[in-house]
Amino acid sequence: MSDPLTRRTVLRLTGTAAVAAAVGTATAPAAAARVREAPGTRPGAAGARVDGLLARLTLDEKISLLHGATDPAPLGQAGYVPGVPRLGIPALRLADGPAGVRVTRHATALPAPVLLASAFDPDLARRYGEVIGREGRALGQDVLLSPMVNLIRTPYAGRNFETFSEDPLLSADMVAAEIRGIQDEGLVATVKHFALNNQEKDRTSVDVRVDERTLHEVELRGFEAAVDAGTGAVMGAYNKVNGTWACENRTLLTDVLRDRWGFDGWVMTDWSAAHSTVAAIAAGLDMEMPDGTYFGAALKTAVESGEVPRDHVDRAVGRLLAVMDRFGLLDGTAPPRPDRDPAAGAAVALEVARAGATLLRNEHGTLPLTGGSVAVVGPTGALPFVSGGGSAHVVPDRADSPLDAIRARAGRAGRGARVSHALGEDLYGRALPAGSVGPSFDPEGQRVEAGRTWAYDGTLTVDDTEAGEWTIVVHYSGTTRPTVRLDGTELFPVASGWGEYFQGGFVTTAPDGLALRRRTLRLAAGAHRLTITAAGGDTGQTFRLRRSTEATRRQDLDEAVRTARAADSVVLFAYEDASEGQDRTTIALPGHQERLIEAVTAANPRTTVVLNTSSATSMPWLDRTGAVLQMYYPGQQGAAATAAVLYGDCDPGGRLTQTFPADDGHHPVAGDPRRHPGVDGTEEYSEGVHTGYRWYDAQGVRPLFPFGHGLSYTTFHCGGMRTRWADGGLDVSFDVRNTGTRAGIAVPQVYVGPSPDLDLDQPVRTLAGYRRLDLRPGEARRVTVRVAARTLSSWDTARHDWALGTGRRDVWLGTSARDLLLRGSAEVRE
């Protein structure tokens, strides 16, 4: 795939460093005017119609367009901006949607963006965007709060599944294609979070310190691609950047976004990310969400007092109206809202999940499965794991379990295709032992009527055989969680702020729909004081109190081992439940899953581990497995896609978009709290341009699996590489042949080395291009990958502009950042 960014002439920034400087200290002349040819764009959108509306709008009406409000007819979306009916300006509804439209109604739950990116296929990303765009409009939405293009910088970041990659080029390709797809359907896209929101820990307060070159070469490339693709809106980040809040950072919002890149849409805050009125609107912020704390009455006061010039308000309103006009929302030319097409959405969801499925290991022909008995092990084998938690959660039309999908597929595999299941690890707890609580409390279904409060003050008696580690689980149906205290300690306190909302997805909902929370602690044998208070609220509620102990875990483990030993093959599903609002603390699998994998693989070495995880995972058990299949969060068709890959109905087409480290001690932010999560409120991007696989190369650290890695069920041969500098770019040509007996997916990747003419600390090699190929057995294809000048350039901090990396540069063709098959060189010239 060639670089999608066009190389265009821009006036260079003048003054001090473009981003290292504080707000207002870096300035830039306006970029040359240009007419976009991107989807959803209408030339002249900021013309007479918008000017006429600005002249007729009152100050109060203008301000009402610059902040969120309460929707009089909500659909469960994230935000609402009232229109001005007397002037024909419609209201806007804004919905989350990284993997589908998040409202209270059904929508297609697509695979997580990280799984989409694993296909290395921008055309698929465009069709992914088209599904979201169509459904967003069908579900009454006008603006999509997606896609997210922040880089995967640390494996701990809680939203890694919502974004694409650790690599700037791949991220730029994917975000541009998805935005085109979204806006082709008439829905305004919002690229986020601008900028450097690469972790959830302290995201609303952390000050990210980054040098100018790192910012432009690494983090900003995806955002620039989004602007070049015509994104209608940009969402400012929560964090500070070099001491200034991102949502009032003039360097980002004006000097870079508008003057350098020519962005002509509007900038909104992340939810409650505004911190000022005067500084924010002066810096280039246009809209505060979800309310008007700073851009409501406070803005009007500031205008009337002269602190905020009226033309700042007109500028912000004009940007919003110009985008609305581009999408036909002001003159009635927007197409009618379509009906949902669930079948078409499901088809794309299935295609993406199959295309992004990444086979990490496959020894001794473990996969594909060819028949015989199969043991499915793990709780996520019997229940569909659709998506991560937080704003990525979608209500799917339906979602089957992997167990059901494997049973259905095994039935077509021939005789002896018996499929059994063992839980392996109980996520939801077992009933409390009889007699462990008093007779006035039914721990398996205590009902509290509406308007009533129920209370229990008694004991929980722990038997000698269950003393030790307990995980106590409360299931509840009400909006207010029961208060449970054990020996005076509240077990399930309500998290502060947004923390209660962002509590994960899969493991916080019981199979019957009840919400749940867990608490792990050690309990000695004997009686423990237990007090519970539960309110019925307006509709009443039912709650349960359950437990998992070392004794129950041993029973689950023993059952899994027996089931595995009796089967020809094992498919063990492992999980990690990520959510917005919280980072991981380790890349190891949570709970007792490592012990489960070790026991099951010892009982049956023909075990395939299927990973439904958000990001990189350590695998101390790897050598004991037959195969490992990375499925991330595969959406509503994930079960069918997983079964198809397991049985070889399709080739696993995915490749890693991020490096998998061997353990918690060997990755770019390991051992340095200043890099993550920060020290005294400050986080330093001191790794510079050496992010992701570049860091592993620079430090000589061997990863568990490198960026770009992924196996096929067939074999390929690459040869005949030639390089040629022409028309301001580098053409890399080569042959790829399928040398196996099955059709399969190849993803050859082109990497380039440093320029000898730039006196800079450059990466050992950088991804410069790639191509996804579907080849029949014996089929050969000659491929040319175009490497754009931008990819061959570095940021010059003296000129505040790009400098082409001239001279003779090494060129590699590989199947990953570490598996390099061919090497050549090319002369890069101005």
Side-chain angles (χ1 to χ4, degrees):
M1 181 64 198
S2 61
D3 192 324
L5 293 177
T6 57
R7 184 168 176 81
R8 59 186 185 271
T9 302
V10 294
L11 297 177
R12 291 170 181 163
L13 292 173
T14 59
T16 58
V19 174
V23 170
T25 60
T27 59
R34 58 193 174 96
V35 177
R36 298 189 191 280
E37 296 179 355
T41 300
R42 296 173 56 204
R49 184 179 297 106
V50 171
D51 291 341
L53 288 171
L54 286 172
R56 298 170 63 193
L57 285 162
T58 67
L59 178 60
D60 285 338
E61 288 170 336
K62 291 174 182 177
I63 289 175
S64 74
L65 295 171
L66 300 184
H67 64 82
T70 301
D71 189 345
L75 298 169
Q77 80 278 0
Y80 173 81
V81 177
V84 181
R86 76 178 184 89
L87 296 178
I89 300 174
L92 294 177
R93 288 183 169 88
L94 303 85
D96 288 315
V101 183
R102 190 181 75 87
V103 293
T104 53
R105 298 180 185 176
H106 290 284
T108 299
L110 292 159
V114 69
L115 183 57
L116 167 68
S118 299
F120 279 65
D121 187 351
D123 182 66
L124 187 59
R126 178 186 57 78
R127 288 187 284 123
Y128 181 100
E130 287 173 352
V131 171
I132 299 176
R134 178 187 177 96
E135 293 208 338
R137 295 208 67 241
L139 292 166
Q141 305 304 300
D142 307 289
V143 181
L144 183 76
L145 304 173
S146 193
M148 174 180 173
V149 77
N150 300 103
L151 290 187
I152 297 175
R153 175 178 176 264
T154 165
Y156 303 127
R159 301 181 80 173
N160 281 348
F161 68 96
E162 285 190 55
T163 191
F164 302 112
S165 175
E166 68 186 20
D167 181 75
L169 171 63
L170 180 59
S171 296
D173 287 353
M174 300 305 292
V175 76
E178 185 181 340
I179 285 171
R180 291 186 179 104
I182 293 165
Q183 297 194 158
D184 273 346
E185 299 297 320
L187 191 69
V188 179
T190 306
V191 67
K192 64 184 184 183
H193 311 83
F194 193 61
L196 299 162
N197 183 180
N198 302 112
Q199 67 183 53
E200 293 301 280
K201 180 74 168 65
D202 300 327
R203 66 175 181 172
T204 61
S205 61
V206 70
D207 182 7
V208 179
R209 301 300 175 100
V210 63
D211 66 87
E212 180 184 346
R213 181 183 168 214
T214 298
L215 183 77
H216 280 273
E217 287 192 27
V218 178
E219 174 77 357
L220 291 189
R221 184 162 189 177
F223 288 98
E224 184 177 5
V227 171
D228 205 56
T231 187
V234 170
M235 180 186 290
Y238 282 116
N239 49 278
K240 295 178 182 178
V241 176
N242 293 323
T244 302
W245 295 111
C247 288
E248 56 187 56
N249 193 312
R250 180 179 176 82
T251 300
L252 287 176
L253 302 186
T254 296
D255 299 343
V256 173
L257 183 61
R258 299 203 181 272
D259 293 344
R260 172 164 285 279
W261 295 345
F263 175 62
D264 54 12
W266 89 89
V267 178
M268 71 181 80
T269 67
D270 204 336
W271 267 224
S272 303
H275 291 271
S276 67
T277 300
V278 178
I281 199 167
L285 182 70
D286 303 310
M287 180 183 289
E288 177 188 8
M289 294 300 294
D291 53 30
T293 303
Y294 295 98
F295 273 31
L299 178 57
K300 181 178 181 180
T301 298
V303 170
E304 291 176 338
S305 69
E307 288 184 279
V308 171
R310 287 181 180 264
D311 63 359
H312 282 16
V313 173
D314 286 354
R315 179 182 66 188
V317 174
R319 290 166 176 168
L320 171 65
L321 294 178
V323 175
M324 295 178 70
D325 197 44
R326 279 172 50 191
F327 284 79
L329 298 176
L330 297 183
D331 62 357
T333 60
R337 292 192 183 274
D339 294 328
R340 281 194 64 221
D341 188 345
V348 173
L350 177 61
E351 183 182 359
V352 172
R354 290 167 59 139
T358 306
L359 185 60
L360 301 180
R361 173 180 169 87
N362 191 21
E363 298 295 317
H364 311 299
T366 300
L367 292 180
L369 300 175
T370 57
S373 59
V374 177
V376 175
V377 176
T380 49
L383 294 167
F385 201 145
V386 175
S387 67
S391 58
H393 180 71
V394 177
V395 182
D397 293 294
R398 60 168 295 169
D400 295 329
S401 74
L403 178 60
D404 288 340
I406 291 171
R407 280 180 171 154
R409 179 58 183 80
R412 304 196 303 271
R415 295 182 178 179
R418 179 177 57 86
V419 178
S420 55
H421 176 253
L423 190 61
E425 183 182 37
D426 190 343
L427 294 180
Y428 305 109
R430 296 189 181 184
L432 295 177
S436 61
V437 296
S440 62
F441 172 33
D442 178 6
E444 275 300 283
Q446 184 63 54
R447 178 67 185 170
V448 184
E449 297 302 327
R452 304 292 296 273
T453 298
W454 178 91
Y456 173 80
D457 189 345
T459 59
L460 170 65
T461 302
V462 176
D463 187 82
D464 289 340
T465 61
E466 291 206 330
E469 183 181 282
W470 275 52
T471 297
I472 301 178
V473 189
V474 62
H475 302 223
Y476 58 98
S477 64
T479 55
T480 301
R481 184 162 63 248
T483 299
V484 182
R485 287 186 171 84
L486 191 65
D487 295 329
T489 298
E490 186 172 350
L491 298 184
F492 312 107
V494 175
S496 61
W498 290 96
E500 183 64 28
Y501 174 74
F502 299 124
Q503 286 287 319
F506 178 82
V507 301
T508 56
T509 305
D512 62 357
L514 268 63
L516 60 88
R517 294 290 185 270
R518 297 173 184 78
R519 178 69 175 270
T520 299
L521 67 168
R522 297 194 68 83
L523 294 181
H528 300 263
R529 186 180 180 191
L530 176 66
T531 61
I532 305 172
T533 303
D538 294 335
T539 59
Q541 77 160 308
T542 299
F543 72 93
R544 298 186 289 257
L545 198 65
R546 291 182 172 177
R547 99 296 188 201
S548 296
T549 67
E550 185 60 32
T552 66
R553 282 190 289 271
R554 278 196 303 270
Q555 294 170 12
D556 292 336
L557 191 65
D558 290 345
E559 180 195 11
V561 167
R562 287 192 302 270
T563 304
R565 189 174 289 127
D568 295 316
S569 299
V570 178
V571 181
L572 191 158
F573 287 82
Y575 72 92
E576 175 258 323
D577 193 26
S579 176
E580 178 182 357
Q582 57 191 18
D583 283 342
R584 305 159 77 188
T585 57
T586 177
I587 60 172
L589 291 170
H592 300 269
Q593 293 183 91
E594 288 187 354
R595 187 172 70 170
L596 173 64
I597 294 172
E598 289 168 356
V600 168
T601 52
N604 190 331
R606 292 188 64 80
T607 295
T608 297
V609 175
V610 178
L611 294 169
N612 291 130
T613 55
S614 67
S615 189
T617 304
S618 59
M619 305 179 198
W621 36 264
L622 179 66
D623 290 343
R624 301 181 181 92
T625 64
V628 177
L629 178 63
Q630 176 63 251
M631 292 300 297
Y632 298 104
Y633 301 151
Q636 69 181 51
Q637 298 297 119
T642 302
V645 173
L646 291 173
Y647 280 92
D649 299 336
C650 64
D651 204 41
R655 303 296 185 265
L656 289 181
T657 71
Q658 59 193 294
T659 308
F660 275 35
D663 52 47
D664 285 303
H666 297 86
H667 54 75
V669 302
D672 189 347
R674 293 171 299 177
R675 289 187 181 179
H676 180 273
V679 176
D680 297 329
T682 299
E683 180 186 25
E684 300 175 3
Y685 281 36
S686 56
E687 71 274 19
V689 297
H690 300 291
T691 56
Y693 62 90
R694 304 175 184 185
W695 178 89
Y696 291 86
D697 288 342
Q699 299 298 318
V701 174
R702 183 180 179 85
L704 181 64
F705 293 111
F707 171 90
H709 173 74
L711 303 178
S712 169
Y713 289 150
T714 188
T715 55
F716 301 94
H717 178 266
C718 296
M721 186 174 77
R722 299 286 186 273
T723 61
R724 185 173 72 96
W725 178 258
D727 300 323
L730 180 64
D731 289 332
V732 182
S733 301
F734 50 89
D735 299 311
V736 182
R737 179 183 295 274
N738 182 344
T739 56
T741 59
R742 303 172 59 103
I745 303 297
V747 185
Q749 301 152 39
V750 174
Y751 295 84
V752 296
S755 164
D757 296 342
L758 294 179
D759 187 19
L760 296 170
D761 179 21
Q762 300 173 68
V764 174
R765 66 185 59 87
T766 302
L767 181 70
Y770 53 88
R771 184 65 56 82
R772 180 183 177 89
L773 303 171
D774 187 349
L775 300 177
R776 300 183 305 274
E779 182 181 2
R781 197 174 302 174
R782 184 73 177 171
V783 176
T784 298
V785 170
R786 177 76 171 174
V787 180
R790 168 60 63 84
T791 300
L792 298 166
S793 300
S794 295
W795 185 260
D796 184 343
T797 57
R799 297 187 306 160
H800 312 301
D801 204 352
W802 294 97
L804 182 64
T806 55
R808 183 151 293 277
R809 302 184 66 166
D810 288 330
V811 180
W812 292 268
L813 179 69
T815 56
S816 78
R818 286 294 176 98
D819 298 299
L820 305 170
L821 307 176
L822 302 173
R823 182 174 182 174
S825 64
E827 187 73 27
V828 176
R829 300 185 297 273
E830 288 281 4

